Amino acid sequence: MAEQKTNVMRLLDQKKIAYTAHSYPHSGEAVDGATVAGLIGKAQECVFKTLVARGSDKNICVFVIPVCCELDLKRAAKAAKEKSVEMVHVSEINTLTGYIRGGCSPIGMKKQYKTFLDSSCLGLESMIVSAGKIGAQVELSPQELIRLTRAETAALTKES
């Protein structure tokens, strides 16, 4: 069966950005990132989740962090130059991004939001993010993702 391309994959093809597609079995429901990492056989430090937040000035910000970590809201606010940030409600994700919970990608959102990648990605040869739907992931170089999304990097996760 031919691989089903997502809009994220088509955008990467259009921009001539090299990537590897990964897929995993699912029931149509979102699964946690650690499970996704296991299903595609990759280390949790290489698989990233995309989180959408709203700053105190009402601007939407996107934070991309390893699936094994938790977003530190104070660090996120500092990176975004906001007094504070709070996660947007799950019911708003589709309206804001065009994606559903569990399939939210930093690539190809409805609008170009301020995007921040956890600085841990800089030490990786490649990183994996959602391909825009549950069951699909793309692996690409952090530098390409930063360039494509015009992202900044910062320490965004809670210390263990």
Side-chain angles (χ1 to χ4, degrees):
M1 191 170 104
E3 166 195 3
Q4 270 203 306
K5 294 248 180 188
T6 65
N7 286 338
V8 169
M9 293 172 195
R10 284 188 279 278
L11 184 64
L12 291 170
D13 288 342
Q14 178 190 356
K15 301 284 185 185
K16 297 185 178 9
I17 295 172
Y19 68 92
T20 302
H22 297 279
S23 62
Y24 59 91
H26 63 91
S27 62
E29 294 292 312
V31 294
D32 67 272
T35 301
V36 170
L39 288 170
I40 64 172
K42 296 291 183 173
Q44 292 182 16
E45 297 77 29
C46 300
V47 181
F48 285 67
K49 57 188 171 185
T50 303
L51 304 171
V52 184
R54 181 175 284 112
S56 52
D57 69 0
K58 305 297 182 216
N59 283 332
I60 300 299
C61 302
V62 176
F63 298 97
V64 183
I65 65 169
V67 296
C68 55
C69 298
E70 195 178 331
L71 183 66
D72 183 316
L73 294 175
K74 284 190 168 87
R75 285 179 164 193
K78 183 179 177 189
K81 297 176 180 65
E82 295 277 355
K83 287 187 185 114
S84 63
V85 296
E86 61 181 35
M87 301 305 296
V88 300
H89 194 274
V90 172
S91 63
E92 289 183 276
I93 290 176
N94 183 262
T95 307
L96 292 169
T97 67
Y99 295 121
I100 61 167
R101 178 180 175 266
C104 192
S105 178
I107 302 166
M109 288 190 178
K110 281 182 173 180
K111 288 174 77 175
Q112 178 73 48
Y113 296 114
K114 284 195 285 186
T115 303
F116 302 89
L117 273 58
D118 187 69
S119 52
S120 66
C121 75
L122 297 173
L124 301 173
E125 210 171 285
S126 66
M127 62 188 290
I128 299 164
V129 296
S130 175
K133 70 176 191 176
I134 295 171
Q137 302 278 303
V138 289
E139 182 173 357
L140 71 164
S141 94
Q143 290 73 22
E144 290 286 17
L145 183 60
I146 289 166
R147 190 173 56 79
L148 180 63
T149 60
R150 299 197 288 267
E152 295 176 34
T153 59
L156 300 171
T157 59
K158 291 186 176 180
E159 300 283 335
S160 40

